[in-house]
C-alpha cells in the first residue's frame, strides 16, 4: 500500500498563492512514488490578489481554499479538517502565498506569525514523528515553528546571480535554525526532526532542475514515512 501524503496549498499562482509548477512537480513525483495524496488549504481570505500579467495587486478578494481548488481539480478539503493520524507525511509547495497566506513572512520576515491551522498541522506531524516536506519559501514555516531545525532555501549568498533571495538564509539563522547550503537539484534531510527541504524557485534555474530537486525532496519524504 502506498504512503498517505497530505499536500497543503496556499492559493493558485506564484505571486499570491502556491507556485503552480512546484505543486504539480510534487504531485507528479508523489504519483510516481505510489503515494495516495489528499490536498488541503486553509479557508481564509488571501492577503492580496495579484494580476499575474502586470505583476501588480488588484482590489479583488479571493479565498485561499477556493483558489487552491483550481490546482486540486476541485478535489480538496479545508485544512482545518486535516488529521495527522490519517497520513504518513505532509508536503508544502512554495510560492508567495506561503509567505502571505500561510504566514506573514512577506510582511514581517522572521517576526512573522503562522496561521493557526498551518502551525497545528506542522506540530501534529512533528509530534507524531512523521516527515514534513517543504520547498522554495515554505521552509521558513519550519524555521518559525521548530527553532533549532535544519532547512535549506538554497544558498546563503547570491552565487552568480542565481539566488536573489539569499538573505532568507540569514533570517532563518536568526531564528535559531541551521541553514544548509544546497544546489537546486538537491534537498536536505534534517533526520532529527524528519524535515526535508529543497530550494526550488528560490534559485533561478531551468525548470527541469527545479523539478528534479523537488523529486529528491519527495523521495526522501517517502523514505522517512
Amino acid at each position: 500500500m502506498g504512503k498517505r501524503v497530505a499536500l497543503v496549498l496556499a492559493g493558485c499562482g506564484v505571486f499570491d498563492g502556491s507556485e503552480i509548477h512546484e505543486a504539480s512537480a510534487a504531485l507528479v513525483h508523489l504519483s510516481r512514488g505510489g503515494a495516495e495524496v489528499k490536498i488541503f488549504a486553509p479557508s481564509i481570505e488571501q492577503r492580496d490578489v495579484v494580476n499575474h500579467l502586470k505583476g501588480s495587486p488588484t482590489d479583488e478578494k479571493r479565498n485561499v481554499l477556493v483558489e487552491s481548488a483550481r490546482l486540486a481539480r476541485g478535489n480538496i478539503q479545508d485544512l482545518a479538517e486535516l488529521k495527522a493520524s490519517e497520513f504518513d507525511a505532509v508536503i508544502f509547495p512554495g510560492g508567495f502565498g506561503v509567505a502571505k497566506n500561510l504566514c506573514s513572512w512577506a510582511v514581517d520576515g522572521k517576526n512573522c506569525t503562522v496561521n493557526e491551522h498551518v502551525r497545528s498541522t506542522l506540530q501534529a506531524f512533528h509530534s507524531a514523528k512523521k516527515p514534513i516536506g517543504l520547498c522554495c519559501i515554505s521552509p521558513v514555516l519550519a524555521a518559525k515553528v521548530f527553532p533549532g531545525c535544519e532547512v535549506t532555501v538554497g544558498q546563503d549568498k547570491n552565487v552568480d546571480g542565481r539566488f536573489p533571495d539569499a538573505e532568507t538564509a540569514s533570517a532563518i539563522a536568526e531564528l535559531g535554525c541551521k541553514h544548509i547550503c544546497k544546489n537546486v537539484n538537491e534537498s536536505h534531510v534534517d533526520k532529527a526532526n524528519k524535515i526535508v527541504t529543497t530550494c526550488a524557485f528560490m534559485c533561478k534555474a531551468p525548470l527541469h532542475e527545479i523539478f528534479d530537486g523537488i523529486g529528491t525532496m519527495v523521495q526522501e519524504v517517502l523514505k522517512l514515512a
Side-chain angles (χ1 to χ4, degrees):
M1 183 177 176
K3 303 297 183 181
R4 300 164 301 169
V5 180
L7 187 81
V8 181
L9 299 180
C12 181
V14 59
F15 298 128
D16 58 13
S18 287
E19 211 297 319
I20 294 170
H21 299 296
E22 292 178 12
S24 178
L27 287 166
V28 170
H29 288 297
L30 285 166
S31 175
R32 184 170 287 148
E36 177 188 338
V37 182
K38 290 190 178 179
I39 305 175
F40 297 84
S43 183
I44 56 175
E45 187 176 299
Q46 290 185 189
R47 178 175 288 274
D48 61 14
V49 177
V50 175
N51 180 323
H52 280 58
L53 181 61
K54 296 180 179 179
S56 57
T58 72
D59 294 329
E60 291 182 61
K61 301 293 184 185
R62 297 191 185 185
N63 178 279
V64 173
L65 177 60
V66 173
E67 292 304 296
S68 298
R70 294 175 180 271
L71 279 171
R73 298 172 62 88
N75 190 7
I76 194 168
Q77 294 173 259
D78 190 330
L79 183 59
E81 299 173 8
L82 194 162
K83 295 181 177 62
S85 60
E86 296 178 355
F87 295 91
D88 300 302
V90 64
I91 289 177
F92 288 76
F96 281 109
V98 171
K100 291 179 175 181
N101 304 325
L102 303 192
C103 70
S104 63
W105 187 277
V107 176
D108 303 318
K110 67 183 189 333
N111 299 315
C112 72
T113 56
V114 179
N115 171 273
E116 60 175 320
H117 294 303
V118 173
R119 178 181 289 273
S120 62
T121 294
L122 289 166
Q123 290 172 332
F125 278 86
H126 188 260
S127 296
K129 294 180 168 40
K130 295 179 177 181
I132 298 167
L134 307 127
C135 66
C136 195
I137 192 63
S138 291
V140 302
L141 297 173
K144 189 66 181 180
V145 177
F146 307 118
C149 72
E150 298 177 356
V151 299
T152 188
V153 289
Q155 301 290 323
D156 56 10
K157 294 180 178 61
N158 189 9
V159 182
D160 298 326
R162 298 177 76 221
F163 294 89
D165 300 305
E167 71 277 1
T168 304
S170 299
I172 285 170
E174 289 175 17
L175 286 170
C177 298
K178 185 174 183 179
H179 179 266
I180 310 297
C181 291
K182 291 285 184 178
N183 291 322
V184 67
N185 59 345
E186 300 175 312
S187 56
H188 176 70
V189 181
D190 177 347
K191 294 181 180 177
N193 291 292
K194 289 193 172 183
I195 295 171
V196 188
T197 51
T198 189
C199 69
F201 277 101
M202 294 292 276
C203 177
K204 290 185 175 180
L207 184 57
H208 70 277
E209 292 184 14
I210 292 165
F211 182 88
D212 291 345
I214 292 171
T216 67
M217 181 266 285
V218 170
Q219 288 165 17
E220 293 295 342
V221 166
L222 294 179
K223 283 181 192 175
L224 290 171

